[in-house]
Amino acid sequence: MRFLGLLFLVSILPAAELPRIWDDEALKDWATPIAALGVRPGHYSAAEYYAIPGDNLKTYPVYHPNHEPKGYWDWLQKQKPQPLVDAAKIRSARDWATAGERAFEDLDNLLFRTADPKLIARARDPEAFKNAYLLPDGSIIGNRWVVTEQGVMLSERECSLCHVHFDPNGKVHFGGPAGVEPAGPTDRNPAGVDLVPLAYTRFFPGDTFLQALWRSYTVPWNPDPRVEALKEKLTHPPGALFVGDPGTFARFHGSPWAQTKVPDLRVIRYSRYIDATATHRMRGAEDLARYAAFVNGADPMTFGPHEILTPEQRQIRVRYADEVLYAIGVYLMSLDAPRNPNPAPKSLRDAGQKIFQREGCVTCHTPPNYTSGKLTLAQGFKPPADHPYAEDIVHLTVATDPELALRTRKGTGFYKIPTLRGVWTRTRLLHDASVASLEEMFDPARLKPDHVPGGWKGPAGDRRGIPGHPFGLSLTAEEKRSLLAFLRSL
Ligand code: HEC
Ligand code: HEC
């Protein structure tokens, strides 16, 4: 018995142990060199990172005032701060994943927290909830309450604010691909109270909102006049600059003119790199944990000799506890694409599979993962022979819009080959979400300059061709039908 008990312990211990997330050794070769500079972006040392305390606080739903359960507000005032992830209760990898699901869905952005009585009152006023998308319990996607030592604060969801998928029945799946589901709900305004401007000026202390916006995207070694103009005046509504389409967001280091698709995190396990341009390696749960920290302030924004932030802004000011980050990493690694419950008839899928092979799709979207995990070159990029990822580089370009991969601070020079698993759930395709369906993707008309992209069009909503990825563009109608049937079964 004792022996069996010991075996049991040995089998669960390694997975239950909490690794140190911000680890100097692991960070050394984590970020990908910027193509134009040939250097990896800088990062905080573990000593700098751990010099501030880690946050680990449970958050609570903000309900549409007409749906708030009776007595909820008073009950909330009486709660004591609780950990979002309680590491003491975790015994196995499964426990980490379960805790991680809660953390991924409920995590709030530390820079959004506010005790401002005016904002709190607004979050309880039905006026602020017009067109808000309601979850089945009557709560909203945007704001969350956080019980802190200083009392109840208003905040906003972090990961799940963007990583939210609506299926055709209008059901919400956090972590799934963002975008517009034709048959889904049309009103999906996430937030009751918009805390973004507040968070921006906190993230970039000393900056006006416009300066903060400019700083998010400016590229000192290759300035884009459209980004530089933002310092002086808002050239487009903030909505179009951040979220030009329900499926995109212009993250720090990207650009409002080269937005990125909010991708399906349920298939991240098939990636060897993170982000469309492979900005970081993806070696497992710990790298995903690091990435969650990175997008939340663990980022000094230094690129060789170029510093984006002022000395005051370059100090790390917030971080999540390691157990919160690791739980999220383990959870994301545990996910997989859902199977299509209504696949096309087998004969059609089989015919499609043959076309998939015949057209050479398999060389890049290689089964069984439907990606080789490798990196293609953005049009115009020649990587040095001694590039650290030389083994993973396919010396081919699919010639999609090279702007993100060459001109932004996400500019590694690469586009990773995405997995096609679960592609049937995506309503936005390509790194910039410009394509809205598989039909559009394999329609040669999308190449023409007068095409109106079904997905992201650019901040000005322009007509433009969607270049590149020329594969499968000259199929007959029948061949296309079978190829799509096959793709929708993956
Ligand atoms: C403001 C919107 C937003 C928030 C908040 C957000 N993400 Fe993302 N996320 C994105 C976008 C957009 C991308 C694509 C970036 C790119 O390709 O360069 C992305 C990419 C990713 C990727 C890479 C996926 C892939 O296929 O390479 C991971 C992993 C990820 N996010 C995890 C998280 C986690 C964990 C959180 C919470 C800590 C989070 N994100 C918060 C918008 C967001
Ligand atoms: C040379 C490698 C290569 C070949 C061959 C190739 N692809 Fe791709 N595919 C890519 C890359 C790289 C992307 C992402 C490009 C981007 O985002 O800019 C992509 C994107 C896609 C997407 C969009 C996925 C998404 O979520 O954005 C689909 C669908 C797709 N490919 C299907 C196919 C099919 C079907 C074939 C064959 C007819 C094929 N591909 C051939 C490399 C390839």
Side-chain angles (χ1 to χ4, degrees):
M1 266 321 276
R2 244 173 86 200
F3 176 68
L4 268 181
L6 208 85
L7 259 185
F8 178 61
L9 258 182
V10 169
S11 69
I12 61 165
L13 267 181
E17 222 169 79
L18 173 63
R20 200 168 150 88
I21 297 308
W22 211 254
D23 175 71
D24 287 328
E25 200 46 43
L27 284 160
K28 247 193 329 215
D29 57 355
W30 182 49
T32 306
I34 298 297
L37 303 173
V39 296
R40 296 179 194 269
H43 57 77
Y44 292 121
S45 68
E48 288 167 314
Y49 182 79
Y50 287 110
I52 58 165
D55 192 279
N56 182 5
L57 284 179
K58 190 171 165 179
T59 72
Y60 298 83
V62 168
Y63 293 94
H64 187 296
N66 301 346
H67 296 263
E68 195 176 281
K70 225 172 151 230
Y72 178 68
W73 183 244
D74 294 331
W75 173 85
L76 202 58
Q77 308 308 310
K78 292 192 199 107
Q79 300 310 299
K80 297 253 174 326
Q82 301 282 342
L84 178 61
V85 172
D86 189 351
K89 291 202 181 123
I90 289 176
R91 302 271 177 276
S92 64
R94 166 105 59 84
D95 289 351
W96 276 117
T98 310
E101 180 172 13
R102 274 275 59 71
F104 179 77
E105 292 183 8
D106 294 355
L107 191 75
D108 74 307
N109 188 319
L110 302 174
L111 289 162
F112 282 67
R113 280 186 201 163
T114 175
D116 183 338
K118 275 207 277 323
L119 292 172
I120 289 186
R122 183 145 173 79
R124 307 202 61 234
D125 176 356
E127 268 299 295
F129 292 80
K130 277 195 187 142
N131 300 328
Y133 178 82
L134 297 188
L135 292 165
D137 68 355
S139 68
I140 58 167
I141 290 180
N143 299 134
R144 299 285 294 180
W145 299 114
V146 196
V147 177
T148 72
E149 293 293 351
Q150 294 80 43
V152 176
M153 294 176 87
L154 179 66
S155 191
E156 186 133 314
R157 258 188 231 268
E158 181 24 46
C159 319
S160 293
L161 182 68
C162 299
H163 292 283
V164 53
H165 175 74
F166 298 86
D167 75 17
N169 304 317
K171 203 166 165 249
V172 164
H173 304 265
F174 292 116
V180 179
E181 187 59 62
T186 49
D187 263 347
R188 58 194 52 165
N189 176 12
V193 180
D194 180 12
L195 301 172
V196 169
L198 178 77
Y200 259 71
T201 42
R202 279 186 185 166
F203 197 94
F204 300 103
D207 279 0
T208 61
F209 180 61
L210 283 184
Q211 282 167 326
L213 202 58
W214 162 80
R215 214 181 285 283
S216 309
Y217 310 118
T218 184
V219 181
W221 56 89
N222 186 11
D224 176 342
R226 298 166 300 183
V227 171
E228 298 307 301
L230 286 180
K231 217 177 356 179
E232 309 302 328
K233 85 176 215 279
L234 210 51
T235 52
H236 298 78
L241 291 171
F242 291 127
V243 200
D245 174 271
T248 64
F249 195 92
R251 297 293 263 158
F252 289 159
H253 305 310
S255 163
W257 287 273
Q259 296 197 6
T260 40
K261 176 175 69 175
V262 179
D264 188 355
L265 300 182
R266 299 171 300 188
V267 293
I268 189 67
R269 57 155 67 193
Y270 300 113
S271 282
R272 295 219 283 269
Y273 297 91
I274 299 175
D275 284 352
T277 55
T279 57
H280 297 85
R281 288 182 200 256
M282 207 298 285
R283 296 162 294 194
E286 290 158 52
D287 277 341
L288 294 177
R290 263 169 223 126
Y291 183 83
F294 170 78
V295 293
N296 279 286
D299 176 6
M301 300 197 181
T302 57
F303 298 82
H306 305 283
E307 280 171 353
I308 305 296
L309 304 177
T310 65
E312 186 196 3
Q313 294 168 349
R314 219 174 303 125
Q315 305 300 315
I316 183 158
R317 276 157 287 130
V318 286
R319 77 169 174 91
Y320 296 108
D322 276 2
E323 51 267 44
V324 173
L325 299 169
Y326 185 57
I328 290 175
V330 175
Y331 168 62
L332 294 179
M333 285 301 285
S334 77
L335 299 176
D336 205 342
R339 301 300 302 199
N340 189 336
N342 305 307
K346 187 166 181 322
S347 55
L348 200 61
R349 286 184 275 138
D350 287 351
Q353 185 168 22
K354 290 210 181 80
I355 292 158
F356 191 73
Q357 279 156 0
R358 187 193 78 197
E359 296 293 309
C361 316
V362 285
T363 54
C364 292
H365 302 285
T366 317
N369 292 349
Y370 292 92
T371 171
S372 61
K374 298 200 172 188
L375 306 173
T376 62
L377 305 177
Q379 194 164 34
F381 178 51
K382 283 197 188 53
D386 63 348
H387 194 285
Y389 306 160
E391 274 179 28
D392 275 345
I393 299 172
V394 180
H395 287 269
L396 278 176
T397 178
V398 300
T400 49
D401 185 349
E403 175 108 8
L404 178 74
L406 291 183
R407 276 188 77 182
T408 70
R409 296 180 340 228
K410 280 179 183 273
T412 59
F414 302 118
Y415 287 119
K416 74 173 174 187
I417 299 170
T419 177
L420 300 181
R421 279 198 179 269
V423 74
W424 68 275
T425 64
R426 297 176 211 161
T427 56
R428 290 294 180 266
L429 301 172
L430 294 181
H431 67 271
D432 58 5
S434 49
V435 171
S437 66
L438 288 168
E439 280 75 9
E440 184 181 5
M441 179 84 185
F442 297 100
D443 178 358
R446 74 162 160 83
L447 302 171
K448 296 192 184 138
D450 65 344
H451 180 70
V452 180
W456 182 67
K457 297 165 183 59
D462 300 332
R463 277 169 186 265
R464 60 178 173 87
I466 304 170
H469 200 281
F471 319 103
L473 285 183
S474 44
L475 303 176
T476 65
E478 189 50 34
E479 288 172 330
K480 183 170 163 181
R481 206 162 75 89
S482 9
L483 177 67
L484 268 47
F486 171 68
L487 294 176
R488 290 199 164 107
S489 72
L490 299 178

